Structures are given as C-alpha cells and as structure tokens.
C-alpha cells in the first residue's frame, strides 16, 4: 500500500468547492427512482440517464470530485462507445465503485440488517482498479426503532466496514466508509445523535483494530437529524451544531474528509445543513457532500426519460451540484436557489 497516494486521492475527493455524486443505485433502487418518473428501468435507459449526468460538463468539471458507480455502470459504454468511466475521467473527476452486495437479515436480531460482499472482494477490487476506480464505497444500514439498534448489529456492521476498508487500501483504493443511521423513524435528533455516536465509535474502534490508515479513507456519515416522522423537526442551526459536535467527539482529525449522505432530506435541506456546518468553521477535516437523492431528484424529474429533455436534466443537475459546491465552502444562501442557470 502506498499511503501517500491514497491520501492524495482522499484529499482530492473532498476538494473544497467540490463533492461526490453518488450514482451507485443498485438495480432495485434505480427501478424505484425510474418508476417515480414513469421510465422503464432497462439497461439502455439506465445508461442514457447516467451518461446525461456524466456529460454535464460544467457540473462534472467544476463541482464534482468523484462519482460512485454501480457494477453495471462501470462496465458500460456511452452511446458513442466511450466507456462511461472515461467520461468521468475526461471531466477531471475520479471514478469510484460501490462494492458492497447489499444487506441480509441479521440472525437473532429481528428487523436488523448486515451488509454483505466480503467474499472475493480482493479479486473484484483488482478488476475495478484496472478499469479506473480509485475509490470504493460500502454502506452499512442501522435502523432506529423500539429496542434497536442492538449492539450486535452495530458491531457486525462495523467489523465488515473495517474488513472492507482494509482490503481496499491493500488494493490501492480509497475506502469510503459509510455507516448510515436511517432517518426513517419518529425519533428525535438527540436519539439520532446517541445512536450515531455509538455507531461511529464502534466503527473507528474496528478500523483501528484492523489497521486501516485513517489518512487514506473518507467517512460518509448521516447528519444528526430528527427522524422523518418526528413531530418536532430540528432547525438547520441545531442540525449543524449537533452534527459538528458529534463528529468532533468521534472522528479523528487524521481522517482527511467527511462527505455526507443526504438520507432522504429534501434537496434544499441537505444543502442548507452542509452550508451551516461549513460556516461554523474551525473544523479539523474537510466537510462536503456525497449525495444521491439530493443531487439527482431534480435532474431525474427534468429528464423523465426523454431525449429532448437531456439539456434540461443537465441544467437541473448542474444547479444542484453548484449549490452543494457552494455549501461545501459555506458560501450558499437560499436566494441563490432561484437563479437556475
Ligand atoms: C445512491 O444510492 C446508494 C445506493 O443504495 P442501494 O444500494 O440501496 O441502491 C446509497 O448507498 C447512497 O450512495 C447513499 O445512501 C447516499 O445517497 P443519499 O440518497 O442518501 O444521499
């Protein structure tokens, strides 16, 4: 492993003014997104949609540091035969790959999941590296509910995240470590804070045990935020203040950067929260975005599967990418939302 090179890639992924496009929806998830815009989820439509995003020259070259791809996408070519990976590289962004293979029910822990995909991961990483991937992603899913999460679910998921991260670094690939605490329930922000704190502490404990080099990774956490069904929704300032406090308590300064997931927040909320955190200043790591839904909901709607809407889809994507890029520097304000280029 060459740690200096891993660190260089990790720092590039969190370049101030840029962030990561999470375009790694598995087949089931992209089908759900396409269903919402009444587009059939065929291989060709998935390719056309993602090609539209990767050919958004302004967004990709100015505001996007890297793209997380799904296995199908990393092997696909654009309509003219150019590998999609090349489009990303030509724009100056870094190709990345989701390497987990989804979740399975966790025995003895009703309602809880463990992320799988470690078998043969070393061989898969080699192939992804040859294809151009310089970082990877693995997502653990932790749900909050009555009696959950158990320490069992937190432990096994943290262990798998660290196993994955160590294998990535051995393959000269920067691991994005994503322990996601879902915001689906009716819990309040303080319960989210407590659970996320336990999850992050266990994750970093496992990373240390398995000798993962913190300088060569990026953390992708949820924010400390109220559950979607909680009657009392925390304000932007409270989310920003509690998320920063939580991260300072759990994330070593050796980690080069933190790139948040959006987790079901609205586009503007995800931007406003990131902006407020970066405005607070004095942070030991760079804070940026690695959004899926909060970057793609608008372009998906604008595109709606029609070739004549490609330019509109690209405009919508560029706008969201620009808003979040500004937020990564604490320079966003709500008035900018109306000025779509
Ligand atoms: C893009 O969605 C990703 C893939 O999820 P599935 O494997 O379930 O299809 C997801 O891991 C994503 O990268 C992160 O959760 C961030 O996306 P959001 O939409 O939460 O910002």
């Amino acid at each position: 492993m060459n740690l200096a090179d891993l660190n260089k890639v990790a720092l590039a992924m969190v370049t101030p003014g840029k962030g990561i496009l999470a375009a790694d929806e598995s087949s089931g998830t992209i089908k759900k997104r396409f269903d919402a815009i009444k587009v059939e989820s065929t291989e060709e439509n998935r390719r056309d949609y993602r090609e539209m995003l990767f050919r958004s020259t302004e967004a990709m070259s100015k505001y996007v540091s890297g793209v997380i791809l799904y296995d199908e996408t990393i092997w696909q070519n654009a309509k003219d035969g150019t590998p999609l990976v090349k489009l990303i590289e030509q724009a100056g962004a870094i190709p990345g790959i989701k390497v987990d293979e989804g979740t399975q029910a966790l025995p003895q822990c009703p309602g809880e999941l463990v992320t799988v995909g470690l078998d043969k991961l070393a061989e898969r990483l080699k192939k992804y590296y040859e294809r151009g991937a310089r970082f990877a992603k693995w997502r653990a899913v932790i749900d909050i509910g009555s009696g959950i999460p158990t320490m069992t679910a937190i432990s096994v998921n943290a262990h798998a995240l660290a196993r994955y991260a160590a294998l990535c670094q051995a393959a000269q690939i920067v691991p994005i470590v994503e322990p996601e605490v879902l915001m689906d329930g009716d819990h309040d922000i303080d319960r989210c804070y407590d659970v996320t704190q336990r999850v992050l502490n266990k994750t970093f404990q496992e990373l240390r045990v398995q000798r993962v080099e913190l300088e060569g990774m990026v953390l992708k956490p949820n924010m400390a935020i109220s559950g979607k069904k909680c009657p009392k929704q925390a304000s932007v300032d409270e989310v920003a203040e509690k998320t920063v406090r939580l991260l300072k308590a759990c994330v070593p300064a050796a980690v080069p950067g933190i790139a948040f997931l959006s987790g079901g927040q609205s586009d503007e909320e995800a931007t406003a929260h990131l902006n407020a955190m970066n405005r607070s200043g004095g942070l030991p790591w760079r804070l940026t975005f690695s959004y899926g839904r909060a970057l793609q909901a608008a372009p998906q709607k604008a595109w709606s599967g029609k070739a004549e809407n490609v330019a509109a889809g690209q405009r919508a994507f560029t706008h969201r990418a620009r808003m979040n890029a500004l937020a990564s520097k604490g320079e966003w304000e709500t008035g900018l939302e109306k000025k779509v280029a």
Side-chain angles (χ1 to χ4, degrees), residues 22-30 32-33 68 70 98 100 102 137 139 178 180 220 260-265 290-296:
D24 58 315
E25 298 86 356
S26 52
S27 308
T29 303
I30 196 74
K32 260 192 252 159
R33 308 280 180 260
I68 314 173
Y70 183 54
K98 184 236 290 294
D100 68 67
K137 193 201 88 172
R139 171 172 167 255
E178 181 181 7
E180 175 173 7
K220 176 163 173 168
F260 291 101
L261 57 92
S262 58
Q265 301 177 43
S290 175
Y291 295 160
R293 283 164 284 181
L295 273 175
Q296 294 187 65

Side-chain angles (χ1 to χ4, degrees), residues 38-326:
K38 300 193 171 55
V39 174
E40 198 189 341
S41 184
T42 61
E43 190 177 340
E44 194 181 353
N45 285 342
R46 293 193 290 271
R47 192 274 313 273
D48 288 351
Y49 167 64
R50 285 163 171 153
E51 181 174 349
M52 170 186 85
L53 297 178
F54 308 157
R55 284 196 192 274
S56 302
T57 320
E58 187 188 346
M60 291 293 297
S61 59
K62 286 196 190 161
Y63 312 127
V64 173
S65 58
V67 181
I68 314 173
L69 300 167
Y70 183 54
D71 180 74
E72 174 185 87
T73 322
I74 201 167
W75 305 110
Q76 270 175 333
N77 293 334
K79 241 189 187 110
D80 67 2
T82 314
L84 292 179
V85 170
K86 286 280 164 261
L87 297 185
I88 295 168
E89 289 169 350
Q90 281 161 10
I94 310 168
I97 179 77
K98 184 236 290 294
V99 299
D100 68 67
E101 295 180 327
T103 53
Q104 282 178 3
L106 184 59
Q108 308 285 13
C109 297
E112 296 194 283
L113 301 168
V114 60
T115 302
V116 297
L118 290 169
D119 291 350
K120 307 225 171 71
L121 180 56
E123 291 99 282
R124 287 162 57 217
L125 287 168
K126 249 187 236 159
K127 292 192 187 121
Y128 289 140
Y129 186 93
E130 281 161 19
R131 184 70 176 176
R134 291 296 175 267
F135 69 92
K137 193 201 88 172
W138 177 290
R139 171 172 167 255
V141 186
I142 302 291
D143 205 357
I144 299 182
S146 156
I148 62 169
T150 59
M151 210 48 220
T152 312
I154 293 175
S155 258
V156 295
N157 276 294
H159 184 265
L161 274 167
R163 290 264 285 122
Y164 138 84
L167 286 166
C168 283
Q169 292 190 337
Q172 206 51 41
I173 286 182
V174 172
I176 293 185
V177 173
E178 181 181 7
E180 175 173 7
V181 177
L182 298 177
M183 59 179 288
D184 292 340
D186 59 3
H187 54 272
D188 64 11
I189 185 170
D190 293 324
R191 173 113 163 93
C192 174
Y193 186 108
D194 286 346
V195 170
T196 308
Q197 185 168 36
R198 275 196 281 149
V199 168
L200 289 176
N201 284 340
K202 189 69 193 162
T203 301
F204 278 98
Q205 185 192 1
E206 280 292 341
L207 291 168
R208 272 193 298 273
V209 167
Q210 298 189 42
R211 305 181 182 193
V212 173
E213 299 283 2
L214 300 184
E215 293 88 344
M217 64 163 273
V218 168
L219 179 71
K220 176 163 173 168
N222 53 283
M223 299 176 193
I225 198 165
S226 323
K228 262 190 240 160
K229 294 184 212 132
C230 178
K232 190 177 166 282
Q233 291 291 310
S235 67
V236 169
D237 287 344
E238 188 178 359
V239 169
E241 186 262 313
K242 289 190 170 163
T243 304
V244 166
R245 183 144 56 88
L246 169 66
L247 294 173
K248 279 186 175 166
C250 305
V251 184
V255 173
I258 296 174
F260 291 101
L261 57 92
S262 58
Q265 301 177 43
S266 74
D267 298 359
E268 235 179 283
E269 273 165 4
T271 306
H273 290 147
L274 177 64
N275 187 63
M277 285 185 249
N278 277 310
R279 250 190 208 167
S280 69
L283 306 169
W285 357 251
R286 298 176 183 175
L287 285 192
T288 190
F289 57 93
S290 175
Y291 295 160
R293 283 164 284 181
L295 273 175
Q296 294 187 65
Q300 275 161 8
K301 209 165 152 209
W303 171 65
S304 287
K306 299 197 175 84
E308 65 267 29
N309 290 340
V310 162
Q314 291 179 328
R315 272 198 303 278
F317 174 49
T318 305
H319 176 70
R320 274 289 24 103
R322 182 167 157 260
M323 294 299 100
N324 286 305
L326 287 167

